[in-house]
Amino acid sequence: MNRRGFIMTMATAAGAMSFPQSLKAMEDSLPEQDTMMPAFFIGHGSPMNAIEDNAVTRGWKEAMKNVPKPKAILCVSAHWLTKGTWVTAMPKPRTIHDFRGFPKELNEATYPVSGSTEIAQAISSSISEPAVGLDQKWGLDHGAWSILLPVFPKTDVPVLEFSIDYDQPAQWQYELGQKLTGLRKRGVLIIGSGNIVHNLGMLNPRLADQGFDWAIAFDDKLKSFIQKQDHQSIIDYGKLGREATLSVPTPDHYYPLLYSLGLQTKTDRVSLFNEQSVMGSISMTSVKIES
């Protein structure tokens, strides 16, 4: 079974709790606040960023240093691909080491954070379509915890993951991201975690801090669209030719960007950080959205 099939099978088999959905659950768990929480798209790159102090992790810390303490963190990770839409709802999400060939230190790293059944129920209640199931088995894959370990090391904020229904097209993913926007008003920090350019088949470790011409060109094009708030061109990335085909051979790492951009309101400002390519075919470009 290929990687996608394995992940989707595991996710579909995951148990789900059934709760009555109600507005009261939302108000009790996530009351509205006066300010809008920022939102992010993070180019997460190598899992080693979880335990390394480098330019990328320092960029994450700098971008998030003035973010108010969230009531919860919701991560849309490129590494949780499912049939249907799910949010983790367990009290103690496990740390998933969904990689191989890395040092023992990384495989022994954990992120012992709490989840929240109540907040998961509130998030599920806030979306009428599609139905959002409450998952009890997934946990936190490295798309989530490799970012959060260096940036939120105290593990004192509940963390939940939101899955990507991999059967759905780009427009659908973006529109679902829009439906999560109200959570920003309720103190939830939403992070899309993936990479704008992600082609493991063309990875070249000798190009540690460099990108292929096509990768840089596609990344630059996407950055221009982001700054102009031309979201439709980003959604329709398949029309962007050879550069797009090489940069996004599969959409798993691209879709989290669409969720994050869907969270942007007309009055939000956007800034870019970690604007670099690594190993030829990975872009670390990240996006901060704030009111």
Side-chain angles (χ1 to χ4, degrees):
M1 181 181 294
N2 61 29
R3 176 179 175 274
R4 175 189 169 188
F6 172 75
I7 292 174
M8 294 182 71
T9 299
M10 290 292 291
T12 304
M17 296 178 67
S18 176
F19 293 95
Q21 297 185 350
S22 67
L23 180 61
K24 186 175 185 302
M26 175 64 80
E27 294 297 339
D28 289 348
S29 299
L30 297 169
E32 281 200 5
Q33 57 186 34
D34 294 334
T35 57
M36 197 89 146
M37 186 66 66
F40 290 86
F41 169 74
I42 299 292
H44 69 242
S46 169
M48 287 298 293
N49 289 321
I51 59 173
E52 291 182 345
D53 175 30
N54 56 42
V56 168
T57 60
R58 289 193 291 272
W60 297 344
K61 293 174 185 178
E62 178 66 22
M64 296 194 191
K65 70 179 182 180
N66 293 323
V67 172
K69 184 176 181 179
K71 293 176 182 173
I73 298 171
L74 181 66
C75 188
V76 183
S77 169
H79 295 278
W80 193 20
L81 310 175
T82 58
K83 289 183 180 295
T85 302
W86 302 83
V87 62
T88 55
M90 66 286 291
K92 292 287 184 181
R94 65 192 175 102
T95 302
I96 304 173
H97 296 83
D98 52 334
F99 44 74
R100 59 186 178 183
F102 288 93
K104 180 180 179 182
E105 182 183 6
L106 181 62
N107 285 287
E108 292 180 347
T110 61
Y111 193 67
V113 74
S114 295
S116 173
T117 297
E118 293 76 17
I119 292 175
Q121 181 183 358
I123 291 170
S124 176
S125 299
S126 72
I127 300 173
S128 57
E129 178 64 34
V132 179
L134 300 176
D135 172 80
Q136 290 293 311
K137 290 190 176 181
W138 184 249
L140 303 178
D141 57 61
H142 82 267
W145 69 266
S146 70
I147 297 168
L148 299 178
L149 180 57
V151 177
F152 294 95
K154 292 183 179 179
T155 65
D156 58 349
V157 175
V159 177
L160 304 92
E161 269 202 45
F162 195 85
S163 79
I164 296 172
D165 185 341
Y166 209 43
D167 289 335
Q168 302 297 337
Q171 183 72 44
W172 188 95
Q173 312 288 349
Y174 176 80
E175 291 174 1
L176 182 51
Q178 290 179 312
K179 295 177 183 180
L180 296 171
T181 305
L183 296 173
R184 294 178 57 200
K185 188 69 174 175
R186 297 180 181 273
V188 178
L189 175 62
I190 305 176
I191 300 173
S193 175
N195 295 97
I196 290 176
V197 178
H198 187 266
N199 188 331
L200 295 183
M202 298 189 72
L203 206 70
N204 186 342
R206 291 176 293 181
L207 302 176
D209 298 314
Q210 301 175 54
F212 295 121
D213 289 347
W214 52 263
I216 293 171
F218 184 75
D219 195 53
D220 286 345
K221 194 171 291 185
L222 266 288
K223 288 189 290 187
S224 176
F225 292 147
I226 291 168
Q227 290 170 323
K228 292 187 294 187
Q229 202 170 339
D230 182 1
H231 293 178
Q232 197 59 52
S233 292
I234 298 169
I235 294 166
D236 296 333
Y237 69 95
K239 299 177 181 179
L240 299 177
R242 176 178 178 272
E243 294 165 358
T245 301
L246 291 170
S247 298
V248 191
T250 58
D252 46 321
H253 277 68
Y254 191 84
Y255 281 165
L257 173 66
L258 301 183
Y259 279 82
S260 297
L261 294 179
L263 299 167
Q264 184 180 353
T265 70
K266 291 183 179 179
T267 58
D268 282 335
R269 60 186 183 274
V270 175
S271 56
L272 303 171
F273 60 100
N274 283 359
E275 298 177 61
Q276 66 181 90
S277 296
V278 298
M279 293 184 284
S281 59
I282 302 289
S283 162
M284 300 305 296
T285 296
S286 301
V287 184
K288 182 176 183 180
I289 299 165
E290 56 189 330
S291 58

